PDB file of all heavy atoms in Angstrom:
ATOM      1  N   LEU B  34      11.625  26.624 -49.278  1.00  0.00           N
ATOM      2  CA  LEU B  34      12.380  26.542 -48.027  1.00  0.00           C
ATOM      3  C   LEU B  34      13.403  27.674 -47.947  1.00  0.00           C
ATOM      4  O   LEU B  34      13.551  28.316 -46.889  1.00  0.00           O
ATOM      5  CB  LEU B  34      13.076  25.177 -47.969  1.00  0.00           C
ATOM      6  CG  LEU B  34      13.516  24.703 -46.600  1.00  0.00           C
ATOM      7  CD1 LEU B  34      12.308  24.548 -45.710  1.00  0.00           C
ATOM      8  CD2 LEU B  34      14.227  23.376 -46.721  1.00  0.00           C
ATOM      9  N   ALA B  35      14.091  27.931 -49.052  1.00  0.00           N
ATOM     10  CA  ALA B  35      15.068  29.032 -49.082  1.00  0.00           C
ATOM     11  C   ALA B  35      14.366  30.360 -48.806  1.00  0.00           C
ATOM     12  O   ALA B  35      14.874  31.199 -48.046  1.00  0.00           O
ATOM     13  CB  ALA B  35      15.775  29.064 -50.429  1.00  0.00           C
ATOM     14  N   ALA B  36      13.182  30.543 -49.404  1.00  0.00           N
ATOM     15  CA  ALA B  36      12.430  31.783 -49.182  1.00  0.00           C
ATOM     16  C   ALA B  36      12.023  31.896 -47.712  1.00  0.00           C
ATOM     17  O   ALA B  36      12.028  32.991 -47.132  1.00  0.00           O
ATOM     18  CB  ALA B  36      11.194  31.811 -50.081  1.00  0.00           C
ATOM     19  N   THR B  37      11.691  30.753 -47.089  1.00  0.00           N
ATOM     20  CA  THR B  37      11.311  30.763 -45.676  1.00  0.00           C
ATOM     21  C   THR B  37      12.480  31.226 -44.812  1.00  0.00           C
ATOM     22  O   THR B  37      12.308  32.044 -43.897  1.00  0.00           O
ATOM     23  CB  THR B  37      10.872  29.354 -45.236  1.00  0.00           C
ATOM     24  OG1 THR B  37       9.925  28.871 -46.168  1.00  0.00           O
ATOM     25  CG2 THR B  37      10.284  29.370 -43.861  1.00  0.00           C
ATOM     26  N   VAL B  38      13.678  30.707 -45.117  1.00  0.00           N
ATOM     27  CA  VAL B  38      14.865  31.105 -44.351  1.00  0.00           C
ATOM     28  C   VAL B  38      15.075  32.616 -44.454  1.00  0.00           C
ATOM     29  O   VAL B  38      15.324  33.292 -43.451  1.00  0.00           O
ATOM     30  CB  VAL B  38      16.110  30.328 -44.856  1.00  0.00           C
ATOM     31  CG1 VAL B  38      17.373  30.881 -44.238  1.00  0.00           C
ATOM     32  CG2 VAL B  38      15.976  28.864 -44.537  1.00  0.00           C
ATOM     33  N   VAL B  39      14.951  33.139 -45.665  1.00  0.00           N
ATOM     34  CA  VAL B  39      15.138  34.579 -45.863  1.00  0.00           C
ATOM     35  C   VAL B  39      14.082  35.362 -45.089  1.00  0.00           C
ATOM     36  O   VAL B  39      14.392  36.373 -44.435  1.00  0.00           O
ATOM     37  CB  VAL B  39      15.097  34.924 -47.365  1.00  0.00           C
ATOM     38  CG1 VAL B  39      15.067  36.421 -47.579  1.00  0.00           C
ATOM     39  CG2 VAL B  39      16.299  34.341 -48.066  1.00  0.00           C
ATOM     40  N   ALA B  40      12.826  34.888 -45.114  1.00  0.00           N
ATOM     41  CA  ALA B  40      11.754  35.598 -44.404  1.00  0.00           C
ATOM     42  C   ALA B  40      12.012  35.587 -42.896  1.00  0.00           C
ATOM     43  O   ALA B  40      11.787  36.592 -42.215  1.00  0.00           O
ATOM     44  CB  ALA B  40      10.404  34.953 -44.725  1.00  0.00           C
ATOM     45  N   VAL B  41      12.502  34.446 -42.382  1.00  0.00           N
ATOM     46  CA  VAL B  41      12.799  34.367 -40.939  1.00  0.00           C
ATOM     47  C   VAL B  41      13.930  35.319 -40.570  1.00  0.00           C
ATOM     48  O   VAL B  41      13.861  36.042 -39.563  1.00  0.00           O
ATOM     49  CB  VAL B  41      13.153  32.911 -40.549  1.00  0.00           C
ATOM     50  CG1 VAL B  41      13.758  32.851 -39.160  1.00  0.00           C
ATOM     51  CG2 VAL B  41      11.924  32.032 -40.598  1.00  0.00           C
ATOM     52  N   LEU B  42      14.974  35.369 -41.414  1.00  0.00           N
ATOM     53  CA  LEU B  42      16.076  36.300 -41.168  1.00  0.00           C
ATOM     54  C   LEU B  42      15.578  37.743 -41.210  1.00  0.00           C
ATOM     55  O   LEU B  42      16.011  38.587 -40.415  1.00  0.00           O
ATOM     56  CB  LEU B  42      17.177  36.106 -42.213  1.00  0.00           C
ATOM     57  CG  LEU B  42      18.163  34.964 -41.971  1.00  0.00           C
ATOM     58  CD1 LEU B  42      19.070  34.798 -43.166  1.00  0.00           C
ATOM     59  CD2 LEU B  42      18.985  35.231 -40.727  1.00  0.00           C
ATOM     60  N   ALA B  43      14.660  38.027 -42.140  1.00  0.00           N
ATOM     61  CA  ALA B  43      14.096  39.376 -42.242  1.00  0.00           C
ATOM     62  C   ALA B  43      13.342  39.717 -40.963  1.00  0.00           C
ATOM     63  O   ALA B  43      13.485  40.821 -40.418  1.00  0.00           O
ATOM     64  CB  ALA B  43      13.168  39.461 -43.450  1.00  0.00           C
ATOM     65  N   GLY B  44      12.541  38.753 -40.461  1.00  0.00           N
ATOM     66  CA  GLY B  44      11.800  38.991 -39.226  1.00  0.00           C
ATOM     67  C   GLY B  44      12.727  39.238 -38.057  1.00  0.00           C
ATOM     68  O   GLY B  44      12.517  40.168 -37.274  1.00  0.00           O
ATOM     69  N   LYS B  45      13.799  38.449 -37.979  1.00  0.00           N
ATOM     70  CA  LYS B  45      14.770  38.603 -36.889  1.00  0.00           C
ATOM     71  C   LYS B  45      15.428  39.986 -36.963  1.00  0.00           C
ATOM     72  O   LYS B  45      15.592  40.670 -35.951  1.00  0.00           O
ATOM     73  CB  LYS B  45      15.829  37.508 -37.014  1.00  0.00           C
ATOM     74  CG  LYS B  45      16.811  37.472 -35.866  1.00  0.00           C
ATOM     75  CD  LYS B  45      17.757  36.310 -36.024  1.00  0.00           C
ATOM     76  CE  LYS B  45      18.800  36.284 -34.918  1.00  0.00           C
ATOM     77  NZ  LYS B  45      19.700  37.425 -34.948  1.00  0.00           N
ATOM     78  N   SER B  46      15.780  40.373 -38.192  1.00  0.00           N
ATOM     79  CA  SER B  46      16.431  41.671 -38.398  1.00  0.00           C
ATOM     80  C   SER B  46      15.497  42.813 -38.023  1.00  0.00           C
ATOM     81  O   SER B  46      15.914  43.801 -37.416  1.00  0.00           O
ATOM     82  CB  SER B  46      16.851  41.780 -39.860  1.00  0.00           C
ATOM     83  OG  SER B  46      17.605  42.919 -40.063  1.00  0.00           O
ATOM     84  N   ALA B  47      14.211  42.674 -38.378  1.00  0.00           N
ATOM     85  CA  ALA B  47      13.250  43.751 -38.110  1.00  0.00           C
ATOM     86  C   ALA B  47      12.987  43.874 -36.620  1.00  0.00           C
ATOM     87  O   ALA B  47      12.814  44.991 -36.106  1.00  0.00           O
ATOM     88  CB  ALA B  47      11.950  43.475 -38.861  1.00  0.00           C
ATOM     89  N   LEU B  48      12.972  42.730 -35.914  1.00  0.00           N
ATOM     90  CA  LEU B  48      12.621  42.761 -34.493  1.00  0.00           C
ATOM     91  C   LEU B  48      13.787  43.192 -33.614  1.00  0.00           C
ATOM     92  O   LEU B  48      13.602  43.445 -32.428  1.00  0.00           O
ATOM     93  CB  LEU B  48      12.136  41.374 -34.052  1.00  0.00           C
ATOM     94  CG  LEU B  48      10.767  40.987 -34.596  1.00  0.00           C
ATOM     95  CD1 LEU B  48      10.456  39.547 -34.282  1.00  0.00           C
ATOM     96  CD2 LEU B  48       9.688  41.901 -34.029  1.00  0.00           C
ATOM     97  N   ARG B  49      14.993  43.287 -34.188  1.00  0.00           N
ATOM     98  CA  ARG B  49      16.155  43.638 -33.386  1.00  0.00           C
ATOM     99  C   ARG B  49      16.024  45.054 -32.809  1.00  0.00           C
ATOM    100  O   ARG B  49      16.446  45.319 -31.693  1.00  0.00           O
ATOM    101  CB  ARG B  49      17.416  43.534 -34.244  1.00  0.00           C
ATOM    102  CG  ARG B  49      18.693  43.576 -33.452  1.00  0.00           C
ATOM    103  CD  ARG B  49      19.874  43.472 -34.384  1.00  0.00           C
ATOM    104  NE  ARG B  49      19.719  44.360 -35.539  1.00  0.00           N
ATOM    105  CZ  ARG B  49      20.605  44.469 -36.511  1.00  0.00           C
ATOM    106  NH1 ARG B  49      21.689  43.742 -36.487  1.00  0.00           N
ATOM    107  NH2 ARG B  49      20.405  45.297 -37.515  1.00  0.00           N
ATOM    108  N   GLY B  50      15.430  45.951 -33.594  1.00  0.00           N
ATOM    109  CA  GLY B  50      15.337  47.347 -33.154  1.00  0.00           C
ATOM    110  C   GLY B  50      14.226  47.602 -32.153  1.00  0.00           C
ATOM    111  O   GLY B  50      13.965  48.744 -31.814  1.00  0.00           O
ATOM    112  N   GLY B  51      13.532  46.546 -31.672  1.00  0.00           N
ATOM    113  CA  GLY B  51      12.413  46.745 -30.756  1.00  0.00           C
ATOM    114  C   GLY B  51      11.156  47.087 -31.512  1.00  0.00           C
ATOM    115  O   GLY B  51      11.198  47.323 -32.710  1.00  0.00           O
ATOM    116  N   PRO B  52       9.997  47.086 -30.813  1.00  0.00           N
ATOM    117  CA  PRO B  52       8.727  47.320 -31.503  1.00  0.00           C
ATOM    118  C   PRO B  52       8.610  48.759 -32.011  1.00  0.00           C
ATOM    119  O   PRO B  52       9.199  49.663 -31.454  1.00  0.00           O
ATOM    120  CB  PRO B  52       7.683  47.037 -30.424  1.00  0.00           C
ATOM    121  CG  PRO B  52       8.401  47.213 -29.136  1.00  0.00           C
ATOM    122  CD  PRO B  52       9.834  46.866 -29.377  1.00  0.00           C
ATOM    123  N   GLY B  53       7.849  48.903 -33.080  1.00  0.00           N
ATOM    124  CA  GLY B  53       7.644  50.220 -33.676  1.00  0.00           C
ATOM    125  C   GLY B  53       6.837  50.078 -34.941  1.00  0.00           C
ATOM    126  O   GLY B  53       6.582  48.960 -35.397  1.00  0.00           O
ATOM    127  N   VAL B  54       6.425  51.209 -35.496  1.00  0.00           N
ATOM    128  CA  VAL B  54       5.568  51.179 -36.687  1.00  0.00           C
ATOM    129  C   VAL B  54       6.336  50.595 -37.872  1.00  0.00           C
ATOM    130  O   VAL B  54       5.839  49.716 -38.589  1.00  0.00           O
ATOM    131  CB  VAL B  54       5.060  52.600 -37.019  1.00  0.00           C
ATOM    132  CG1 VAL B  54       4.196  52.559 -38.274  1.00  0.00           C
ATOM    133  CG2 VAL B  54       4.280  53.162 -35.855  1.00  0.00           C
ATOM    134  N   THR B  55       7.587  51.057 -38.073  1.00  0.00           N
ATOM    135  CA  THR B  55       8.389  50.572 -39.207  1.00  0.00           C
ATOM    136  C   THR B  55       8.602  49.076 -39.103  1.00  0.00           C
ATOM    137  O   THR B  55       8.453  48.346 -40.096  1.00  0.00           O
ATOM    138  CB  THR B  55       9.757  51.274 -39.213  1.00  0.00           C
ATOM    139  OG1 THR B  55       9.583  52.611 -38.785  1.00  0.00           O
ATOM    140  CG2 THR B  55      10.381  51.249 -40.580  1.00  0.00           C
ATOM    141  N   THR B  56       8.940  48.617 -37.897  1.00  0.00           N
ATOM    142  CA  THR B  56       9.155  47.190 -37.672  1.00  0.00           C
ATOM    143  C   THR B  56       7.939  46.396 -38.100  1.00  0.00           C
ATOM    144  O   THR B  56       8.038  45.407 -38.824  1.00  0.00           O
ATOM    145  CB  THR B  56       9.406  46.936 -36.175  1.00  0.00           C
ATOM    146  OG1 THR B  56      10.421  47.819 -35.744  1.00  0.00           O
ATOM    147  CG2 THR B  56       9.812  45.520 -35.906  1.00  0.00           C
ATOM    148  N   PHE B  57       6.775  46.878 -37.631  1.00  0.00           N
ATOM    149  CA  PHE B  57       5.529  46.172 -37.913  1.00  0.00           C
ATOM    150  C   PHE B  57       5.274  46.113 -39.416  1.00  0.00           C
ATOM    151  O   PHE B  57       4.944  45.059 -39.961  1.00  0.00           O
ATOM    152  CB  PHE B  57       4.379  46.879 -37.187  1.00  0.00           C
ATOM    153  CG  PHE B  57       3.065  46.210 -37.399  1.00  0.00           C
ATOM    154  CD1 PHE B  57       2.775  45.010 -36.751  1.00  0.00           C
ATOM    155  CD2 PHE B  57       2.126  46.751 -38.251  1.00  0.00           C
ATOM    156  CE1 PHE B  57       1.572  44.380 -36.954  1.00  0.00           C
ATOM    157  CE2 PHE B  57       0.911  46.122 -38.458  1.00  0.00           C
ATOM    158  CZ  PHE B  57       0.627  44.936 -37.804  1.00  0.00           C
ATOM    159  N   VAL B  58       5.441  47.277 -40.086  1.00  0.00           N
ATOM    160  CA  VAL B  58       5.158  47.341 -41.525  1.00  0.00           C
ATOM    161  C   VAL B  58       6.079  46.406 -42.298  1.00  0.00           C
ATOM    162  O   VAL B  58       5.628  45.618 -43.146  1.00  0.00           O
ATOM    163  CB  VAL B  58       5.305  48.798 -42.033  1.00  0.00           C
ATOM    164  CG1 VAL B  58       5.304  48.844 -43.555  1.00  0.00           C
ATOM    165  CG2 VAL B  58       4.176  49.662 -41.489  1.00  0.00           C
ATOM    166  N   VAL B  59       7.389  46.450 -41.963  1.00  0.00           N
ATOM    167  CA  VAL B  59       8.349  45.623 -42.710  1.00  0.00           C
ATOM    168  C   VAL B  59       8.082  44.144 -42.452  1.00  0.00           C
ATOM    169  O   VAL B  59       8.139  43.312 -43.374  1.00  0.00           O
ATOM    170  CB  VAL B  59       9.797  46.020 -42.356  1.00  0.00           C
ATOM    171  CG1 VAL B  59      10.790  45.071 -43.002  1.00  0.00           C
ATOM    172  CG2 VAL B  59      10.079  47.428 -42.811  1.00  0.00           C
TER     173      VAL B  59
END
Side-chain angles (χ1 to χ4, degrees):
Chain B
L34 200 62
T37 310
V38 171
V39 171
V41 167
L42 278 173
K45 186 176 177 295
S46 187
L48 289 172
R49 193 180 46 180
V54 179
T55 324
T56 309
F57 181 74
V58 168
V59 174

